């Protein structure tokens, strides 16, 4: 793991560009000439980026997008598959482990909210980046595809599992088995992204969602997301017990004591409506 305390200045800013503005960390996969295909450069740099942003207080929401006209064309067939497959088996294992290290559980339980901003091509392994983010907004003309079947492999890594969790069986199997492409509007219809918008509204819509997340209590956001992921695999009774404890733990650990602040502002001060927005966090 990177020494996250080194901060933003320690990031290479080569295969991945990072800038933080008004609380939003814009993380851009930066190999536009290769349609941002995920090569070892992106893999190892993203591990660093996720480590650093987690400790960077100015970054309160993370947006992942791609440079140029692609979100990402998936794993790099040459640099992620062919060359490592022919190379040292442990080096290959390390590469695959690093790829999983930032995209899988790490993002699922990442301590800050994440949004995928799909600005163009999104294929294969890029589905995991997309699905690992909490929320997603797409250009309505972006092109999506589980293209693995087209060149003789199955959606591996953890893509098939993620797709199975996000889509209905009919939709998941249709796209896994046919490799057919679809656009952002279809991605919204099938629930793969939250919203599909015209290209010229993509940044504005993403920014608006990020701002909505930023105004919430970060400790509670973190707990809500963790609870969502864990309870999906639990029985009803275990989930109820876990949620009761998690709720108590969240209130206990919350440095801003949000629950009692919110209650006071609604019941005593009558200064806000919890149904309509977040409590005053000053
Ligand atoms: N791996 C390696 N190189 C890639 C990849 C990739 N996944 N995608 C694009 N590139 C490279 C191309 O080889 C080309 O390199 P070159 O300029 O050195 O020849 C460059 O990026 C540009 O690609 P083009 O195909 O020329 O770009 P175009 O805009 O015409 O098409 C598209 C874009 C549709 C994304 C096409 O590149 C493509 O089909 N890529 C593969 C997509 C795919 O199947 N991804 C899944 C990979 S499997 C997995 O992720 C598990």
């Amino acid at each position: 793991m990177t020494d996250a305390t080194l901060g933003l200045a320690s990031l290479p800013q080569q295969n991945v560009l990072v800038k933080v503005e008004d609380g939003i960390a814009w993380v851009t996969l930066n190999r536009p000439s290769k349609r941002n295909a995920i090569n070892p450069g992106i893999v190892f740099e993203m591990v660093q980026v996720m480590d650093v942003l987690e400790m960077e207080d100015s970054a309160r929401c993370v947006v992942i997008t791609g440079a140029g006209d692609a979100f990402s064309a998936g794993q790099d067939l040459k640099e992620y598959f062919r060359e490592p497959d022919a190379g040292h088996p442990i080096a290959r294992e390390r590469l695959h482990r690093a790829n999983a290290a930032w995209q899988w559980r790490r993002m699922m339980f990442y301590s800050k909210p994440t949004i995928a901003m799909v600005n163009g091509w999104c294929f294969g392994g890029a589905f995991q980046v997309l699905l690992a983010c909490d929320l997603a907004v797409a250009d309505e003309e972006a092109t999506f595809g589980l293209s693995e079947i087209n060149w003789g492999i199955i959606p591996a890594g953890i893509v098939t599992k993620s797709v199975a969790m996000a889509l209905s069986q009919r939709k998941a199997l249709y796209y896994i088995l046919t490799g057919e492409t679809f656009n952002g509007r279809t991605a919204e219809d099938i629930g793969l992204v939250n919203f599909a918008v015209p290209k010229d509204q993509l940044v504005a819509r993403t920014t608006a969602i990020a701002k909505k997340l930023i105004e919430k209590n970060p400790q509670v956001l973190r707990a809500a997301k963790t609870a969502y992921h864990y309870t999906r695999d639990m029985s009803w009774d275990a989930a109820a017990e876990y949620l009761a404890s998690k709720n108590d733990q969240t209130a206990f650990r919350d440095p801003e004591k949000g629950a009692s602040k919110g209650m006071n502002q609604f019941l005593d001060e009558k200064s806000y409506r919890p149904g309509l927005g977040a409590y005053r966090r000053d």
Side-chain angles (χ1 to χ4, degrees):
M1 202 177 263
T2 322
D3 181 356
T5 59
L6 291 175
L8 291 170
S10 69
L11 294 174
Q13 302 275 5
Q14 287 169 5
N15 294 287
V16 182
L17 304 179
V18 180
K19 70 172 180 190
V20 181
E21 267 173 14
D22 300 329
I24 306 171
W26 297 90
V27 174
T28 305
L29 306 179
N30 187 40
R31 298 182 73 220
S33 66
K34 299 291 181 185
R35 306 302 180 260
N36 306 318
I38 299 169
N39 69 340
I42 286 187
V43 167
F44 290 110
E45 224 168 295
M46 276 304 292
V47 172
Q48 256 180 295
V49 166
M50 297 311 276
D51 280 347
V52 165
L53 288 180
E54 201 155 39
M55 293 295 287
E56 174 60 46
D57 288 339
S58 66
R60 291 152 65 195
C61 179
V62 176
V63 175
I64 300 182
T65 191
D69 62 2
F71 176 67
S72 167
Q75 303 308 122
D76 188 305
L77 271 65
K78 180 166 173 270
E79 295 186 35
Y80 188 85
F81 289 122
R82 191 159 71 183
E83 289 172 357
D85 286 355
H88 196 296
I90 295 176
R92 176 180 181 273
E93 173 62 26
R94 284 167 62 88
L95 174 62
H96 288 214
R97 208 165 54 220
N99 189 57
W102 71 270
Q103 293 180 2
W104 298 10
R105 295 268 169 196
R106 182 77 194 281
M107 282 194 69
M108 193 184 266
F109 296 108
Y110 197 63
S111 54
K112 298 181 178 182
T114 52
I115 305 174
M117 186 174 84
V118 183
N119 53 306
W121 305 114
C122 178
F123 286 105
F127 270 58
Q128 181 53 31
V129 182
L130 163 65
L131 287 164
C133 288
D134 302 327
L135 303 176
V137 187
D139 172 356
E140 58 188 13
E141 299 298 340
T143 302
F144 297 75
L146 288 166
S147 55
E148 286 89 338
I149 197 83
N150 291 337
W151 62 283
I153 66 164
I154 64 169
I158 201 71
V159 171
T160 291
K161 172 81 175 158
S162 287
V163 168
M165 289 179 84
L167 302 186
S168 72
Q169 181 172 321
R170 290 281 173 245
K171 300 293 184 195
L173 280 175
Y174 185 79
Y175 291 114
I176 287 170
L177 297 181
T178 65
E180 191 175 295
T181 58
F182 52 96
N183 66 18
R185 284 184 297 278
T186 300
E188 181 186 316
D189 288 345
I190 64 176
L192 187 64
V193 303
N194 295 94
F195 305 105
V197 297
K199 192 182 258 321
D200 62 0
Q201 293 170 28
L202 188 60
V203 171
R205 187 62 176 271
T206 306
T207 304
I209 297 171
K211 284 189 170 158
K212 205 170 272 202
L213 295 170
I214 283 171
E215 73 174 16
K216 312 290 186 216
N217 179 321
Q219 174 87 14
V220 183
L221 270 182
R222 202 156 43 240
K225 157 166 153 178
T226 304
Y228 170 80
H229 287 299
Y230 276 121
T231 54
R232 288 186 78 169
D233 294 332
M234 283 181 189
S235 69
W236 187 275
D237 290 336
E241 184 57 26
Y242 165 85
L243 288 169
S245 309
K246 187 75 183 167
N247 202 31
D248 288 349
Q249 179 214 49
T250 307
F252 178 71
R253 289 221 189 132
D254 179 10
E256 24 182 293
K257 300 293 168 213
S260 57
K261 213 178 258 183
M263 229 180 270
N264 286 344
Q265 289 175 17
F266 180 53
L267 297 178
D268 306 326
E269 297 175 13
K270 297 194 179 295
S271 58
Y272 97 122
R273 298 282 179 274
L276 304 179
Y279 69 89
R280 231 178 30 255
R281 295 185 49 228
D282 47 17

